[in-house]
């Protein structure tokens, strides 16, 4: 580096005049007394790393306020005005024009020639150029290798200061360690000191240059480093947001990252952010307000935060308006003032700020508006925050809001957003009931019926249900109607049940519809009317009442109350069987066995009989026994057949008893057992099985297993004949003609 003809005092490290703006951080100037006739401030590096740490601390604390001071006041520059032409600018800079030197440094920075730019900033700073001082001082405090290299040369050559070998080596070592190769070469050549040069990290401009066309991979890397606190990456990310390079263009986010980078001494970011402040950019003003509000990088200063936020808010910045409103609402560093809070929040809300709208809602709710409290509760509930939802419902409930009272009771009953308490739930239901709320009366009645949270009392439950029914509350009509149907708490009265349930069924309640259908089918409380029963079964089934699936399918299969519809019966039986209805499964099995509405399939019938038998259907056990006895749809298995018959007979199935008696009589599946045959056949005959009566007649006529008794034989044959059993008729005629 060429020496200047005159010694230049390093004014860029002199104590700065205290900025006039109130937000500057106070500094004790006595800590930095001059140590040479050229210095009026501290000497960076004189005491090695400790001095550098002190320097960095000072600039990190002062750099933002100082830059703001410079850019918000008249921008001062030493010497004559700098020309705009690049050639003329260089000539003017070489001639010692400080303004030209500074401007040339700026141009070089724009061309990404950082080292040369810092060289010119140093020269301009040496001539007293204010902005150049801060540019160079900030670079130095931020550990810029070129700045530290120039400091080393300055002490090595005595440029503006006394030569100082120790300081020169100290600064050059720092520069070399930070990656400056020239500094390492100077140390080796001048003093034989070898220093390992670290690889330079890429600059923000280099980051931008190496970006891929879509920039996704590079952008992820930049973001990761920016969030980790790398100022160059923060600047690069700000640039991305500003230009929309690989990311959605966003001026607010750009300024946010410029500010973060600036706080860490990134020179370009400081310049851009200071310019934004000078132009009174609302987002920049807002970020300054947030910085002082939170104390992020500066001493927390609420008055200054308010000042900056009000400037931004006055320019219509919704975020600033909301922040001010929030501060006044919560007394955050200021005296709580709801009027001011509402003023700022209203302005933000009018611009569509969602949090401001919520905050206004909360203020109104806190001040006793039960409707708004309910609205807030619903919002929190929809968002899944049941605790806050309950808190707001409770506020509204205490103001007497009926819907809120019911919600509070429900929350307490189920433990939603609060601790479960059936007793408290019952008290809130009573509160609603006493205010003549129909749902409250109904819910209180349910609690009285079940005894949950309150002493069980069916008569009191009926009283509250009747009050709710008087207001035509359909759930209460359904409950009271079913109580009359079942005789629960009241005298059983099917007529009253029908009266109460008819409007509920007409409104589409499937439970009421299937109950009414049953009343018409069985002639309870009204005359038997299968046509009406079929209509109500249809409505109930279509509405999804599983109990109606089987009953409606049966009406279709047998043609009750209308024509037969085997295919329709198969469809509804299938739904009922899938829902676990054993009777539906059995009758669907019969339809497969007989080919009604479906292609006949003994195997499918056996499968359905098996499932129905498992579900406890006795008739299914009998038919499954027949399939096992005859090998129809399954492998023949007489042992299993007898077992199935026995289980069915035990449950009173007469046909199963007959088959078991017959197998015992003829010794099929096991040894002949005439005593067992007699017992099973008698049981079947008592149940009306005519073939059992015929075989009993045969046993008494022939003396098989019993003493021969023609009188008993005639008696059993007659019983079979009366049942129109052809074998019985032939047998009794033969005895008469004998």
């Amino acid at each position: 580096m060429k020496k200047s003809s005159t010694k230049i005092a390093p004014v860029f490290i002199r104590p700065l005049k205290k900025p006039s703006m109130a937000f500057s951080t106070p500094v004790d100037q006595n800590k930095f007394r001059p140590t040479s006739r050229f210095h009026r401030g501290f000497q960076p590096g004189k005491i090695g790393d400790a001095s550098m740490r002190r320097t960095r601390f000072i600039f990190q604390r002062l750099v933002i306020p100082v830059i703001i001071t410079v850019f918000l006041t008249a921008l001062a520059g030493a010497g004559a005005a700098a020309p705009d032409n690049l050639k003329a600018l260089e000539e003017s800079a070489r001639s010692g024009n400080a303004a030209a030197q500074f401007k040339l440094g700026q141009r070089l920075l724009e061309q990404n020639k950082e080292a040369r730019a810092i060289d010119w900033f140093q020269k301009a700073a040496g001539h007293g150029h204010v902005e150049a001082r801060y540019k160079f001082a900030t670079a130095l405090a931020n550990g810029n290798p070129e700045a530290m290299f120039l400091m080393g040369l300055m002490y090595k050559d005595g440029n503006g200061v006394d030569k100082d070998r120790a300081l020169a080596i100290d600064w050059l070592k720092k520069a070399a360690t930070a990656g400056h190769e020239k500094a390492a070469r100077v140390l080796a050549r001048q003093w034989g000191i070898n220093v390992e040069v670290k690889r330079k990290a890429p600059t923000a401009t280099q980051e931008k240059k190496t970006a891929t066309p879509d920039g996704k991979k590079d952008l992820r890397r930049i973001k990761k480093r920016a969030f980790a606190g790398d100022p160059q990456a923060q600047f690069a990310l700000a640039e991305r947001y500003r230009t929309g390079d690989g990311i959605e263009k966003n001026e607010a986010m750009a300024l946010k990252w410029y500010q973060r980078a600036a706080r860490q001494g990134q020179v370009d970011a400081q310049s851009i952010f200071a310019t934004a402040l000078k132009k009174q950019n609302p987002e920049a003003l807002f970020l300054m307000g947030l910085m002082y509000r939170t104390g992020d990088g500066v001493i927390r200063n609420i008055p200054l935060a308010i000042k900056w936020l009000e400037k931004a808010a006055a320019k219509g910045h919704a975020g600033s308006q909301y922040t001010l409103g929030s501060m006044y609402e919560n007394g955050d560093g200021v005296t709580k003032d709801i009027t001011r809070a509402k003023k700022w929040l209203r302005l933000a809300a009018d611009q569509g700020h969602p949090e401001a709208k919520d905050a206004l809602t909360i203020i109104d709710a806190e001040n006793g508006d039960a409707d708004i409290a309910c609205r807030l509760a619903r919002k929190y509930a929809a968002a899944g925050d049941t605790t806050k939802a309950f808190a707001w419902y409770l506020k509204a409930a205490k103001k007497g809001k009926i819907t809120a009272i019911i919600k509070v009771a429900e929350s307490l009953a189920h433990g939603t957003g609060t601790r479960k308490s059936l007793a408290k739930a019952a008290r809130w239901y009573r509160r609603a009931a006493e205010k003549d709320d129909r749902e409250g009366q109904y819910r209180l009645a349910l609690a009285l019926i079940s005894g949950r949270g309150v002493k069980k009392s069916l008569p009191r439950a009926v009283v509250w249900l009747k009050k709710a029914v008087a207001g035509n509350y359909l759930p209460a009509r359904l409950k009271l109607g079913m109580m009359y149907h079942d005789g629960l708490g009241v005298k059983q009265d099917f007529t009253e049940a029908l009266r109460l349930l008819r409007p509920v069924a007409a409104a589409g309640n499937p439970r009421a519809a299937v109950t009414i259908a049953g009343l018409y089918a069985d002639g309870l409380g009204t005359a038997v009317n299968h046509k009406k029963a079929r209509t109500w079964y249809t409505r109930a089934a279509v509405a999804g009442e599983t109990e109606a699936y089987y009953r409606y399918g049966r009406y279709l299969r047998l043609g009750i109350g209308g024509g037969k519809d085997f295919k329709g019966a198969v469809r509804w039986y299938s739904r009922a069987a899938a829902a676990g209805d054993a009777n539906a499964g059995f009758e669907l099995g019969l339809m497969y066995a007989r080919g009604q509405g479906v292609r006949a399939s003994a195997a499918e019938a056996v499968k359905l009989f098996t499932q129905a038998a498992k579900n406890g259907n006795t008739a299914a056990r009998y038919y499954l026994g027949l399939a096992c006895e005859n090998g129809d749809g399954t492998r023949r298995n007489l042992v299993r057949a007898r077992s199935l018959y026995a289980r069915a007979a035990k449950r009173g199935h007469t046909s199963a008893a007959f088959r078991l008696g017959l197998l015992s009589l003829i010794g099929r599946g096991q040894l002949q057992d005439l005593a067992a045959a007699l017992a099973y056949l008698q049981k079947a005959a008592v149940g009306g099985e005519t073939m059992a009566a015929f075989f009993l007649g045969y046993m008494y006529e022939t003396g098989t297993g019993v003493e021969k008794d023609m009188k008993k034989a005639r008696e059993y044959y007659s019983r079979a004949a009366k049942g129109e059993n052809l074998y019985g008729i032939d047998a009794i005629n033969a005895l008469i003609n004998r």
Side-chain angles (χ1 to χ4, degrees), residues 241 249-258 281 283 287 317:
Y241 275 115
K249 199 171 181 178
N250 189 322
E251 184 190 0
M253 289 298 293
L255 280 171
K256 177 182 175 181
W257 285 107
Y258 281 136
N281 181 289
E283 187 66 27
L287 290 171
H317 191 277

Side-chain angles (χ1 to χ4, degrees), residues 384-583:
D385 192 338
T386 55
T387 302
K388 285 186 178 178
F390 175 76
W392 284 110
Y393 276 132
L394 186 60
K395 286 178 186 291
K398 288 178 179 178
K399 296 287 181 181
K401 183 76 174 175
I402 292 294
T403 53
I405 291 172
I406 296 296
K407 287 292 183 182
V408 166
E410 287 177 352
S411 298
L412 287 164
H414 299 103
T416 306
T418 185
R419 183 178 292 179
K420 186 174 181 178
S421 174
L422 296 176
K424 287 182 180 179
R427 285 199 291 272
W428 280 103
Y429 281 135
R430 183 178 294 280
R431 205 165 175 179
E434 288 171 350
K435 287 179 176 288
D436 208 29
D437 178 71
R438 306 307 179 195
E439 185 176 359
Q441 292 165 344
Y442 168 67
R443 297 286 181 184
L444 179 59
L446 293 184
L448 289 165
I449 291 169
S450 64
R452 299 181 68 197
V454 68
K455 188 177 179 180
K456 187 172 181 178
S457 175
L458 294 178
R460 286 166 61 204
V462 170
V463 170
W464 285 112
L465 284 172
K466 285 182 176 179
K467 287 185 178 183
V469 167
N472 200 31
Y473 190 68
L474 293 182
R477 290 189 76 98
L478 174 63
K479 187 64 182 176
L480 190 58
M482 294 306 296
M483 289 177 77
Y484 274 107
H485 180 276
D486 301 332
L488 179 65
V490 290
K491 185 179 179 181
Q492 193 172 44
D493 187 336
F494 294 117
T495 303
E496 181 64 8
L498 188 62
R499 184 188 72 79
L500 287 165
L501 293 173
R502 193 180 282 117
V504 186
N509 185 283
R511 184 65 200 157
V514 75
T515 305
I516 287 176
L519 292 174
Y520 279 119
D522 299 332
L524 300 173
T526 183
V528 172
N529 190 326
H530 287 298
K531 188 175 181 180
K532 285 187 177 181
R534 183 164 172 160
T535 299
W536 286 112
Y537 278 137
T538 305
R539 288 192 188 184
V542 171
E545 178 61 44
T546 54
E547 185 182 334
Y549 293 165
Y550 164 68
R551 294 174 183 271
Y552 182 44
R554 184 174 176 79
Y555 265 59
L556 292 174
R557 181 172 75 88
L558 300 176
I560 303 171
K564 289 183 178 181
D565 180 358
F566 289 137
K567 287 186 178 181
V570 167
R571 185 168 63 253
W572 289 106
Y573 275 153
S574 297
R575 290 190 184 184
D581 191 307
N583 292 330

Side-chain angles (χ1 to χ4, degrees), residues 27-40:
V27 179
D28 184 358
Q29 301 292 343
N30 292 323
K31 290 182 180 178
F32 313 113
R33 295 192 179 279
T35 56
S36 80
R37 60 192 178 89
F38 297 102
H39 283 73
R40 298 188 183 277

Side-chain angles (χ1 to χ4, degrees), residues 652-655 657-658 678-693 696 715-716 719:
H653 197 284
T654 54
S655 295
F658 164 67
L678 182 65
Y680 281 120
L681 289 172
Q682 284 177 336
K683 186 175 183 179
V686 170
E689 179 62 53
T690 58
M691 281 301 294
L696 283 169
E715 180 184 332
Y716 279 114
R719 194 183 297 180

Side-chain angles (χ1 to χ4, degrees), residues 72 80 103 146 155 286 419 479 531 543 568 630 633 685 689 691:
L72 291 183
K103 195 166 186 179
E146 184 67 20
Y155 282 110
F286 169 60
R419 183 178 292 179
K479 187 64 182 176
K531 188 175 181 180
N630 300 316
E689 179 62 53
M691 281 301 294

Side-chain angles (χ1 to χ4, degrees), residues 136-191:
F136 189 81
T138 304
L140 187 64
N142 200 42
N144 183 281
E146 184 67 20
M148 292 189 289
F149 171 65
L150 292 173
M151 283 293 292
L153 291 184
M154 183 182 71
Y155 282 110
K156 170 182 168 289
D157 299 331
N159 185 10
V161 295
D162 290 332
K163 285 186 179 183
D164 191 320
R165 180 176 180 276
L167 279 176
I169 291 172
D170 190 23
W171 282 110
L172 289 169
K173 275 186 177 180
K174 286 180 170 62
T177 305
H180 201 288
E181 294 180 0
K182 275 189 182 180
R185 287 199 296 270
V186 170
L187 283 167
R189 187 177 60 247
Q190 189 76 21
W191 293 292

Side-chain angles (χ1 to χ4, degrees), residues 244-313:
D245 181 11
I247 196 168
E248 189 176 348
K249 199 171 181 178
N250 189 322
E251 184 190 0
M253 289 298 293
L255 280 171
K256 177 182 175 181
W257 285 107
Y258 281 136
Q259 187 200 35
R260 288 190 180 184
R263 285 210 299 266
Q264 296 195 73
Q266 214 286 340
V267 178
D268 295 331
Q270 289 172 345
S271 177
I272 291 169
F273 192 75
T275 302
L277 283 174
K278 181 183 176 183
K279 292 179 179 179
Q280 297 285 291
N281 181 289
E283 187 66 27
L285 297 171
F286 169 60
L287 290 171
M288 286 299 294
L290 285 187
M291 182 179 75
Y292 281 109
R293 181 192 176 197
T294 60
D296 186 6
V298 294
I299 295 173
R300 192 167 188 254
N301 190 325
I302 295 299
L304 268 179
I306 295 288
K307 180 179 176 180
W308 286 106
L309 290 169
E310 284 182 345
K311 282 184 179 182

